[in-house]
Amino acid sequence: MQRLTDTTLRVIERLFPLDQHEAVSALLAAECGTNLPFCETHDSAALERIRFAVLMLSDGDLDKLRGIVSQAKVDWRDVLVAAGFGYSLTAHDRWAQAILEP
């Protein structure tokens, strides 16, 4: 299980209600990490692109997040494309910065 970065935790805080932060963090750490196909050697920073994609597509809805994580477990590349992160290695960072701006 790959720990979440501080940036990922801050994005979770912005998108989800306080009472869901722990559940969202646990889901991402356990189900959206090195267990994904071809991600066995990824570190937390490398996993951010996928994790941000599922967070973006969830619209802050925990049930929706669970479904998108399930999709990522089949083929996370489809999730990247759906989020608009498929053709850029930095689009996820720009999205997170926009979410975190005051």
Side-chain angles (χ1 to χ4, degrees), residues 56-67:
M56 176 194 177
L57 294 171
S58 76
D59 295 321
D61 181 298
L62 183 54
D63 288 330
K64 196 171 178 181
L65 178 67
R66 288 183 181 114

Side-chain angles (χ1 to χ4, degrees), residues 54-81:
V54 298
L55 288 168
M56 176 194 177
L57 294 171
S58 76
D59 295 321
D61 181 298
L62 183 54
D63 288 330
K64 196 171 178 181
L65 178 67
R66 288 183 181 114
I68 297 164
V69 167
S70 292
Q71 290 175 354
K73 289 163 73 173
V74 173
D75 194 334
W76 49 266
R77 297 168 300 179
D78 292 338
V79 174
L80 290 179
V81 171

Side-chain angles (χ1 to χ4, degrees), residues 3-30:
R3 83 169 198 80
L4 304 180
T5 65
D6 291 338
T7 304
T8 301
L9 293 171
R10 290 185 10 239
V11 168
I12 291 168
E13 290 171 359
R14 288 289 176 115
L15 294 178
F16 291 87
L18 178 61
D19 64 332
Q20 294 181 353
H21 291 179
E22 188 174 322
V24 171
S25 297
L27 175 66
L28 291 181

Side-chain angles (χ1 to χ4, degrees), residues 49 52 84-98:
R49 188 169 171 225
F52 287 179
F85 301 163
Y87 301 103
S88 170
L89 296 176
T90 58
H92 69 288
D93 287 325
R94 289 191 304 273
W95 172 80
Q97 291 309 310

